[in-house]
């Protein structure tokens, strides 16, 4: 008996379809269903993963899903990769798909902020991956966006309004302006006008489980907005700030406040001078990489010093205020004599700003240092394990080795200095000269207390109770206790840039980014 495709059972057809190439899966499945229209081809497999590369496909899909709501509920992964589309229809299409776990959108000049506001107005608790890639550039000069104030700041605020979600991956990228894409002889539209909403996003409930964050806005200074609020992005492990205007000092401050970040990707960021060749005559062209390595190792020391100064100033102000309150309770003695006739009863000066209101709850006395108490804050150990960036010049194997050697030299110098500071603190603590505290661990009761009081007094700080807490070693000792047991090897440095064909280090941040964000931009 002759067998044809029409006579194949559904189980066998399903097995055949499962062998299709993922890149051409939808085209192959559609072709098969049209070739044998009377056979039980599993057409429902068209909907779990949808990838559109042309704007006109949006209306076609919208018309299909609008008439078949049961198919719309099957869509779990949706990717739109074109810069021209009817944004209104696109918004209506997204509204038809309630079960999305993966959403990737290319946002061109047809999109307005109101479109994204409508898309993200309602939380999507099932979403596990969200990527927005902006390219708002136009071919002819238009100032509509500037005059209307059409910026996408509201998109960050919309995401900030979501309740706690399980979204671990968020990517927000603005493509750099390329003359091959759009003219550069006039002002092109901006994506974000202010970056304050980034700080709001960092302390929103949505960020509590955000582990991988890519935020690229070319030439903008975003570092301080990442960490200006306490406990900003508390669960973050992989951070990509490529193309942003971030220098070495900004990077050290970022790591000092976001001590939990383990992998950094900084392609195109001026973390070192973009003209390393000018130091060739001095015979040390890569010394800036050593300075960078040392600054990263000492980021925690800088943060501890900053917090110590703040604690000292707060303590002095606290006891001054306490003395003033004691004197006011005793009453003021009136001065003899009459009031001068020339004393003005009105003032033409602007009224002084009102003082900030005091917290509703008084600070617990246990969080107030004793008068004249000497307190030292133990600088935290660095957690960064990988730094990926791009080299500002021609990269040869010899250059690669020299840069890595200088970076490791600077890191070792920084760790050694950190070790000496911690050892001095241990001596003062052991001799009873100083009270030594350390930053509270993330999630601990002392850490959560900061959300109520901020950095007032000793809030967020915990007393050191074990001598092993002070120990630190560059290499690590299996027989040691505390931090010295793990050791603190130099972070993995990759300077090959974002291109996959570069000389990347195995396990570098670039490779992690490719696997996490499913692209190579």
């Amino acid at each position: 008996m002759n067998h044809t495709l029409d006579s194949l059972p559904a189980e066998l057809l399903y097995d055949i379809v499962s062998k299709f190439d993922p890149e051409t899966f939808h085209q192959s499945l559609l072709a098969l269903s049209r070739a044998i229209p009377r056979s039980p081809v599993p057409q429902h497999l068209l909907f779990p993963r949808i990838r559109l590369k042309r704007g006109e496909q949006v209306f076609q899909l919208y018309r299909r899903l609008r008439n078949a709501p049961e198919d719309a509920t099957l869509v779990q992964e949706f990717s739109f990769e074109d810069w021209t589309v009817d944004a209104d229809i696109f918004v209506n299409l997204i509204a038809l798909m309630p079960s999305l776990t993966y959403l990737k959108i290319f946002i061109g000049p047809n999109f307005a902020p109101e479109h994204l506001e409508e898309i993200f107005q309602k939380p999507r608790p099932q979403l596990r991956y969200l990527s927005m890639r902006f390219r708002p550039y136009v071919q002819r000069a238009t100032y509509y966006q500037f005059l209307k104030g059409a910026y996408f700041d509201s998109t960050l605020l919309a995401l900030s309004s979501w309740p706690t979600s399980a979204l671990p991956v968020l990517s927000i990228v603005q493509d750099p302006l390329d003359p091959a894409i759009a003219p550069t002889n006039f002002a092109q539209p901006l994506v974000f006008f202010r970056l304050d909403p980034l700080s709001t996003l960092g302390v929103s409930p949505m960020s509590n489980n955000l582990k991988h964050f890519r935020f690229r806005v070319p030439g903008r200074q975003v570092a301080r907005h990442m960490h200006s609020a306490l406990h900003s992005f508390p669960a973050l492990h992989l951070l990509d700030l490529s193309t942003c205007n971030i220098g070495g000092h900004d990077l050290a401050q970022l790591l000092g406040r976001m001590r939990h970040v383990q992998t950094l990707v900084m392609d195109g960021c001026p973390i070192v001078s973009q003209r390393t060749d000018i130091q060739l005559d001095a015979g040390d062209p890569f010394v800036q990489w050593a300075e960078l390595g040392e600054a990263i190792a000492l980021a925690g020391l800088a943060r501890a010093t900053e917090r110590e100064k703040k604690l000292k100033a707060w303590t002095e102000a606290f006891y001054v205020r306490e003395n003033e309150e004691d004197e006011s309770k005793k009453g003021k003695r009136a001065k003899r004599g009459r009031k001068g006739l020339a004393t003005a009863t009105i003032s033409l000066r602007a009224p002084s700003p009102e003082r900030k209101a005091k917290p509703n709850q008084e600070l617990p006395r246990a969080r107030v240092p004793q008068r004249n108490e000497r307190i030292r804050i133990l600088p935290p150990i660095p957690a960064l394990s990988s730094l990926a960036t791009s080299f500002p010049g021609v990269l040869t194997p010899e250059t690669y080795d020299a840069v890595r050697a200088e970076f490791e030299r600077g890191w070792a110098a920084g760790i050694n200095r950190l070790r000496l500071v911690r050892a001095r603190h241990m001596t003062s603590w052991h001799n009873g000269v100083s009270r030594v505290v350390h930053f509270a661990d993330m999630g601990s009761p002392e850490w959560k207390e900061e959300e109520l009081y901020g950095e007032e007094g000793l809030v967020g700080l915990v007393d050191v109770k074990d001598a092993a807490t002070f120990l630190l070693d560059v290499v690590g000792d299996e027989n040691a206790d505390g931090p010295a047991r793990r050791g603190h090897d130099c972070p993995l440095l990759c300077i090959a840039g974002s291109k996959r064909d570069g000389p990347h280090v195995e396990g570098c941040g670039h490779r992690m980014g490719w696997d996490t964000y499913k692209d190579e931009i």
Side-chain angles (χ1 to χ4, degrees), residues 324-459:
E324 292 176 349
E325 292 176 354
D326 292 341
E327 292 179 0
S328 65
K329 292 178 181 178
K330 296 178 182 179
K332 295 182 179 180
R333 178 180 297 178
K335 294 183 179 180
R336 293 184 178 181
R338 65 176 183 173
K339 189 176 182 180
L341 297 177
T343 303
T345 58
I346 62 173
S347 175
L348 299 178
R349 296 180 180 178
S352 59
E354 297 181 0
R355 293 183 179 180
K356 295 183 179 179
K358 295 182 180 180
N360 294 330
Q361 297 180 355
E362 294 184 359
L363 192 67
R365 196 66 190 186
R367 296 302 178 197
V368 179
Q370 298 180 9
R371 192 186 300 267
N372 300 324
E373 184 178 22
R374 185 177 181 182
I375 300 178
R376 290 287 180 264
I377 298 179
L378 189 67
I381 57 180
L384 188 70
S385 59
S386 178
L387 173 63
T389 183
S390 53
F391 182 76
V394 179
L395 185 60
T396 64
E398 294 76 16
T399 300
Y400 210 131
D401 293 339
V403 167
R404 189 179 302 160
E406 284 296 298
F407 182 79
E408 292 176 353
R409 181 174 67 85
W411 169 269
I415 289 294
N416 186 57
R417 181 181 169 189
L418 182 63
R419 180 179 60 82
L420 294 176
V421 171
R422 292 169 68 95
R424 286 199 301 268
H425 287 354
M426 182 175 68
T427 301
S428 299
W429 173 78
H430 187 269
N431 294 333
V433 176
S434 301
R435 177 183 179 183
V436 181
V437 296
H438 64 84
F439 290 104
D441 295 331
M442 186 174 65
S444 64
E446 295 83 3
W447 183 84
K448 294 179 180 178
E449 198 175 27
E450 281 187 313
E451 298 179 355
L452 179 62
Y453 299 107
E455 292 184 338
E456 295 188 23
L458 292 168
V459 174

Side-chain angles (χ1 to χ4, degrees), residues 209-352:
N209 294 309
L210 186 62
K211 296 182 178 180
H212 312 285
F213 185 34
R214 179 169 64 181
F215 189 77
R216 299 182 181 180
V217 186
R220 299 291 296 273
Q221 297 178 345
V222 305
R224 65 184 181 91
H225 298 282
M226 286 290 302
H227 62 70
S228 60
L230 277 175
H231 304 170
S232 186
F233 298 101
L236 208 57
H237 290 168
L238 170 61
L239 177 60
D240 185 339
L241 297 176
S242 299
T243 73
C244 297
N245 185 8
I246 299 177
H249 179 69
D250 301 323
L251 178 59
Q253 283 192 325
L254 178 73
L255 292 175
R257 288 187 170 271
M258 301 179 69
R259 301 186 300 273
H260 47 280
V261 174
Q262 299 176 7
T263 303
L264 267 175
V265 182
M266 311 286 288
D267 290 327
C269 298
I271 54 176
V272 297
S273 172
Q274 303 302 292
R275 289 290 308 277
T276 55
D277 57 308
I278 63 176
Q279 300 186 30
L280 285 173
D281 296 338
D284 200 356
F286 307 120
V287 66
Q288 293 180 73
W289 293 95
E291 295 171 353
L292 177 64
E294 184 174 7
I296 292 176
L298 294 176
L301 177 59
R303 170 66 178 135
T305 302
E306 175 192 354
R307 184 69 174 89
E308 274 186 10
K309 293 179 180 179
K310 190 172 184 178
L311 174 61
K312 182 179 180 181
W314 185 93
T315 304
E316 292 176 354
F318 176 85
Y319 284 107
V320 167
R321 185 171 63 252
E322 190 176 63
N323 292 338
E324 292 176 349
E325 292 176 354
D326 292 341
E327 292 179 0
S328 65
K329 292 178 181 178
K330 296 178 182 179
K332 295 182 179 180
R333 178 180 297 178
K335 294 183 179 180
R336 293 184 178 181
R338 65 176 183 173
K339 189 176 182 180
L341 297 177
T343 303
T345 58
I346 62 173
S347 175
L348 299 178
R349 296 180 180 178
S352 59

Side-chain angles (χ1 to χ4, degrees), residues 5-237:
L5 284 175
D6 288 326
S7 62
L8 292 179
E11 295 80 2
L12 189 53
L13 285 172
Y14 188 91
D15 188 61
I16 292 174
V17 169
S18 65
K19 301 297 191 297
F20 287 169
D21 185 355
E23 290 295 323
T24 59
F25 179 84
H26 290 81
Q27 297 89 329
S28 301
L29 185 56
L30 283 172
L32 181 61
S33 64
R34 292 167 182 169
I36 48 176
R38 292 185 297 272
S39 297
V41 177
Q43 295 191 39
H44 65 277
L45 296 179
L46 287 170
F47 298 101
R49 295 177 179 86
I50 297 179
R51 182 182 183 186
L52 304 184
K53 294 187 176 182
R54 300 193 309 276
E56 60 269 19
Q57 293 176 308
V58 170
F59 179 69
Q60 299 170 5
L61 180 61
Y62 170 72
R63 186 172 55 184
R64 169 64 185 271
L65 296 184
R66 184 184 60 181
N67 297 326
E70 66 280 1
D71 292 336
T73 60
L74 298 175
V75 182
Q76 296 180 356
E77 299 184 8
F78 178 76
S79 176
F80 175 70
E81 303 174 13
D82 192 15
W83 301 109
T84 304
V85 70
D86 187 320
D88 293 321
I89 296 178
F90 184 86
V91 171
N92 294 333
L93 172 62
I94 296 297
L96 295 177
M97 300 181 286
S99 306
L100 288 176
T101 61
Y102 178 104
L103 179 58
K104 181 178 183 180
I105 312 174
F106 280 20
I107 302 167
N110 298 101
F111 276 89
E114 293 78 11
H115 293 121
L116 292 188
E117 289 177 31
E118 188 171 351
I119 290 176
F120 299 117
Q121 180 181 10
K122 295 181 179 180
R124 291 183 173 269
Q126 299 181 14
L127 202 60
R128 298 295 179 268
Y129 176 100
L130 175 58
S131 174
M132 292 177 282
R133 184 176 176 184
F134 292 86
R135 188 182 289 181
Y137 311 121
V138 295
Q139 299 300 319
R140 290 187 294 180
T142 174
Y143 298 99
Y144 169 78
Q145 288 86 353
F146 297 103
L147 295 174
K148 184 185 177 183
Y151 307 109
F152 290 89
D153 304 18
S154 57
T155 301
L156 299 179
L157 296 176
L159 294 175
S160 301
S161 66
W162 286 12
T164 301
S165 66
L167 178 67
V169 182
L170 175 61
S171 174
I172 302 174
V173 174
Q174 176 184 349
D175 282 3
L177 179 58
D178 188 343
I181 299 174
T184 58
N185 57 349
F186 57 84
Q188 290 282 356
L190 299 175
V191 174
F192 299 106
F193 181 69
R194 297 178 59 88
L195 293 174
D196 297 339
L198 181 61
S199 302
T200 305
L201 179 66
V203 293
S204 66
M206 195 211 72
S207 68
N208 289 338
N209 294 309
L210 186 62
K211 296 182 178 180
H212 312 285
F213 185 34
R214 179 169 64 181
F215 189 77
R216 299 182 181 180
V217 186
R220 299 291 296 273
Q221 297 178 345
V222 305
R224 65 184 181 91
H225 298 282
M226 286 290 302
H227 62 70
S228 60
L230 277 175
H231 304 170
S232 186
F233 298 101
L236 208 57
H237 290 168

